[in-house]
Amino acid sequence: MGVRGAAFFEPAGGTRAPGRSRRTPRAADLAIGIPLLSLGAGWLVWDAMFGHGLDIWAAQGDLGRIETADLAHMARVQTFLVVVLVVALLGLVSRAPRTVLSQVLLAILAGVMLMAAQHSWDRSHPDSTGSESEGAGSRHRENNAFRMAGEMSPASAQDARRDADRVEPVLERLWKSGTWDPKSVREALLEVGFQEERFGPTGEWLGGTLAVRDMGSRFETDHYVTPEGASVGIRVHDDACVTAFVQKTDYEVKANGPYLEGGCFEPPAGH
């Protein structure tokens, strides 16, 4: 009876049932799961604030750079989510429930952040499908036709380039001196011979070619902000403009045709 009863108990150090992995000790499970949770959550917060956030700040209203920063941020979070799920799978195989739980929590956090970023992107790009196909590219061009500059005649292009060469050293000087508010930029350009554009009470054009305004507001997180800096538009001819800006990070001057909407100022995206 004693011998038969003993058969139901596995002696210390006995053989485990085949195919059943050893459970990770609780101390080791905690030692792995807690740091992984802390490091993962810390990385998500750091990337949102200092990775993506600084990229947006450095863009200073440049819509192309803002879109690039948004896409790069979403790609990083997607990669992070894949890594977390792989670690969770390894923890499941190793029978480390606390490690698995930590990765599930990180996956939920990353998923929420990714959905929020995607929702923000979809709101600002209502016609975007995310496809790189020719059809999607064609729709993108159609939706952004109002942001494409018109054609200039050779003579008009030459005149616009000449005025651009007058504007560039002025903006370079202001940028180097740390002066980029619209009032100072306007005064500096008036000093080199440009005349401010004037209109009558019913909107009729009275003369002048120069217009200077702020950089325009843009949506950031949950509110609109207006970056420091000034945008410049100079109507050289009906088919030619000088478009420029100066801000903390850089400045740019170019000669181009007028925009379908906005004249010598490039319309913002998301129209």
Side-chain angles (χ1 to χ4, degrees):
M1 180 70 175
V3 174
R4 292 181 63 189
F8 290 96
F9 299 92
E10 180 182 338
T15 305
R16 297 186 307 275
R20 186 176 178 83
S21 62
R22 175 178 295 177
R23 185 186 184 93
T24 300
R26 180 178 180 181
D29 193 5
L30 288 171
I32 296 173
I34 293 176
L36 285 179
L37 177 61
S38 300
L39 290 173
W43 183 87
L44 286 172
V45 173
W46 181 91
D47 186 65
M49 295 179 61
F50 299 101
H52 182 236
L54 286 179
D55 286 344
I56 295 297
W57 176 84
Q60 291 291 298
D62 187 323
L63 295 170
R65 292 171 64 184
I66 291 173
E67 290 181 350
T68 299
D70 289 341
L71 290 173
H73 172 63
M74 287 191 286
R76 290 194 298 269
V77 176
Q78 286 176 336
T79 301
F80 177 85
L81 185 57
V82 171
V83 172
V84 164
L85 293 176
V86 170
V87 174
L89 180 60
L90 292 175
L92 190 63
V93 172
S94 302
R95 300 182 65 196
R98 295 162 184 83
T99 297
V100 173
L101 178 61
S102 72
Q103 299 309 289
V104 169
L105 293 175
L106 284 177
I108 294 173
L109 179 59
V112 169
M113 294 180 66
L114 187 59
M115 285 190 295
Q118 186 65 55
H119 178 65
S120 177
W121 175 270
D122 291 341
R123 282 196 306 169
S124 59
H125 300 76
D127 297 314
S128 174
T129 62
S131 171
E132 297 296 331
S133 65
E134 182 179 352
S138 176
R139 287 192 297 274
H140 177 76
R141 287 190 295 272
E142 291 175 1
N143 294 332
N144 289 275
F146 69 98
R147 300 186 66 212
M148 298 176 64
E151 296 291 333
M152 293 186 290
S153 68
S156 294
Q158 185 175 2
D159 290 345
R161 186 65 261 171
R162 184 168 55 248
D163 278 354
D165 290 341
R166 295 170 58 198
V167 171
E168 186 158 6
V170 176
L171 296 192
E172 181 181 15
R173 172 173 57 81
L174 292 171
W175 179 67
K176 288 181 177 179
S177 67
T179 304
W180 40 71
D181 61 281
K183 180 181 178 181
S184 298
V185 173
R186 182 182 300 106
E187 291 175 351
L189 290 173
L190 292 176
E191 288 175 0
V192 298
F194 289 103
Q195 294 184 352
E196 190 168 8
E197 203 168 22
R198 304 182 309 281
F199 297 92
T202 59
E204 70 275 17
W205 180 74
L206 299 179
T209 61
L210 171 67
V212 181
R213 62 191 192 191
D214 60 38
M215 295 292 290
S217 62
R218 56 183 171 82
F219 191 78
E220 188 173 283
T221 308
D222 59 355
H223 63 286
Y224 283 91
V225 297
T226 301
E228 293 183 359
S231 296
V232 178
I234 299 175
R235 173 75 71 169
V236 182
H237 296 296
D238 288 340
D239 66 337
C241 296
V242 173
T243 303
F245 70 84
V246 58
Q247 57 187 8
K248 183 176 182 179
T249 54
D250 57 358
Y251 69 93
E252 181 183 59
V253 181
K254 60 183 180 181
N256 53 266
Y259 296 95
L260 183 62
E261 300 179 23
C264 290
F265 291 94
E266 181 177 358
H271 177 77

